[in-house]
Amino acid sequence: MPELPEVETIRRTLAQHVTGLEIREIKLIWSSAVCGWEDQSFEYLVTGRRIKTIDRRGKYLLIRLDEDLTLIAHMRMTGRLNYYAESQEPEKHTHVVFQLEHGEVHFSDVRKFGRIQAIPTQLCISGSSLCKLGPEPLEAEFTPEVLKERFGKKTLSLKAALLDQHVLAGLGNIYVDESLFQAGISPERGVDTLSEEEISRLHGAIRNVLQAGIDAQGTSFRDYRDANGEKGSFERALQVYGRGGEPCKLCGQALERIRLAGRTTVFCSKCQR
């Protein structure tokens, strides 16, 4: 958390407030939350720059500044970017405050795993971990044939393959479990066992579930909020994630909860073959 739908929601809600604004000052409360470029500090690079656009790649936010600088923000597990129209006293876990010509953006992270890196825009892909990401699952170029190609000759489980950001960008535990349930395929299946029809079904399920997550503005169990501090509502539509031991909404059989690919995994052994 956050996964693709949550990061996309943050992108949209943040862009509404900050596009075109100048970053007047950076207040670093925990300096390890940011990273400059080579021998130039984060504050030096960012102060005085204007926010042009905000893009997304997988689970990363790409905040494009003028003079060819990009901020790559990764929320990891508990990171947040919140916009405030007025000056706001930083909360306990706020690590960076971006003071804009109108309002402020606070970067907070309870578990301190999230980071914001400043990097020249022309090196944004080649000079960062973004270069290793798989395709965007909601792009038109992502087809069943591309999914099959990304699986290649791997023999690992579907759960492990779909969590791998090198295979496909943006999916995490929530949306993998939900996609596999909608596709009717067990997370324990090896990727090399899927038929053409099953790959096509899984492709459609991934796109459907992610779009539904975006439409609901993400899933808020604990920490996730959009840039306005609002919760998402996709948890109301969850079919399996977080429901281990509860009855399947399709067949009534108790959902199984296992450990797979290092993550808690919930599925229906009757509906998911």
Side-chain angles (χ1 to χ4, degrees):
M1 279 284 287
E3 302 177 30
L4 187 155
E6 289 75 42
V7 179
E8 177 62 19
T9 301
I10 294 170
R11 185 196 71 78
R12 294 180 182 187
T13 52
L14 188 61
Q16 292 173 357
H17 298 296
V18 305
T19 300
L21 298 186
E22 179 185 329
I23 300 172
R24 294 281 175 85
E25 186 179 346
I26 302 292
K27 181 179 181 181
L28 285 185
I29 300 168
W30 184 56
S31 61
S32 295
V34 301
C35 180
W37 179 251
E38 296 184 337
D39 60 345
Q40 296 179 309
S41 72
F42 185 87
E43 306 99 293
Y44 174 79
L45 287 168
V46 175
T47 302
R49 302 290 180 100
R50 194 168 294 276
I51 300 170
K52 295 171 62 180
T53 60
I54 303 181
D55 301 322
R56 179 191 54 76
R57 180 73 173 97
K59 300 179 185 181
Y60 295 82
L61 275 182
L62 307 178
I63 303 173
R64 311 288 192 182
L65 308 183
D66 61 6
E67 300 181 44
D68 297 318
L69 190 74
T70 292
L71 304 184
I72 302 177
H74 198 340
M75 304 296 103
R76 297 292 178 183
M77 295 183 70
T78 58
R80 294 186 190 175
L81 280 169
N82 291 115
Y83 173 81
Y84 299 99
E86 305 289 340
S87 180
Q88 185 87 7
E89 186 68 22
E91 297 179 352
K92 179 180 179 181
H93 300 291
T94 298
H95 305 314
V96 187
V97 175
F98 297 82
Q99 294 182 336
L100 310 176
E101 57 182 301
H102 302 296
E104 299 179 339
V105 172
H106 291 206
F107 175 62
S108 61
D109 186 5
V110 173
R111 301 190 68 173
K112 292 188 172 182
F113 292 153
R115 294 292 184 273
I116 303 178
Q117 175 188 7
I119 187 170
T121 297
Q122 66 269 25
L123 299 177
C124 184
I125 300 299
S126 62
S128 73
S129 56
L130 274 65
C131 68
K132 299 180 180 179
L133 292 179
E136 288 287 326
L138 292 178
E139 294 291 333
E141 293 78 12
F142 177 63
T143 63
E145 291 73 28
V146 169
L147 180 59
K148 180 180 179 179
E149 178 184 308
R150 300 304 297 179
F151 283 156
K153 296 183 179 180
K154 293 178 175 63
T155 58
L156 69 168
S157 72
L158 269 173
K159 180 62 179 277
L162 292 174
L163 286 175
D164 186 347
Q165 300 302 294
H166 301 162
V167 173
L168 197 59
L171 287 168
N173 210 27
I174 295 174
Y175 297 97
V176 169
D177 279 6
E178 291 297 307
S179 296
L180 288 169
F181 178 78
Q182 188 173 119
I185 304 172
S186 170
E188 298 179 293
R189 289 273 300 277
V191 295
D192 57 327
T193 70
L194 295 185
S195 66
E196 299 279 348
E197 189 276 332
E198 286 174 321
I199 289 178
S200 179
R201 204 163 70 226
L202 177 58
H203 167 269
I206 290 169
R207 290 170 67 92
N208 289 342
V209 167
L210 289 176
Q211 188 58 59
I214 292 172
D215 292 343
Q217 296 185 298
T219 306
S220 294
F221 279 115
R222 291 173 292 275
D223 301 285
Y224 163 71
R225 300 291 187 276
D226 67 16
N228 297 319
E230 300 294 329
K231 294 182 178 182
S233 61
F234 191 63
E235 66 272 11
R236 301 172 191 168
L238 294 174
Q239 301 295 302
V240 288
Y241 181 82
R243 299 189 60 244
E246 298 180 25
C248 172
K249 294 182 179 181
L250 289 183
C251 72
Q253 176 174 292
L255 296 173
E256 295 192 29
R257 179 172 52 222
I258 63 174
R259 195 77 175 170
L260 189 60
R263 305 298 300 275
T264 299
T265 301
V266 181
F267 68 105
C268 177
S269 60
K270 183 176 179 181
C271 295
Q272 293 174 255
R273 300 294 184 177

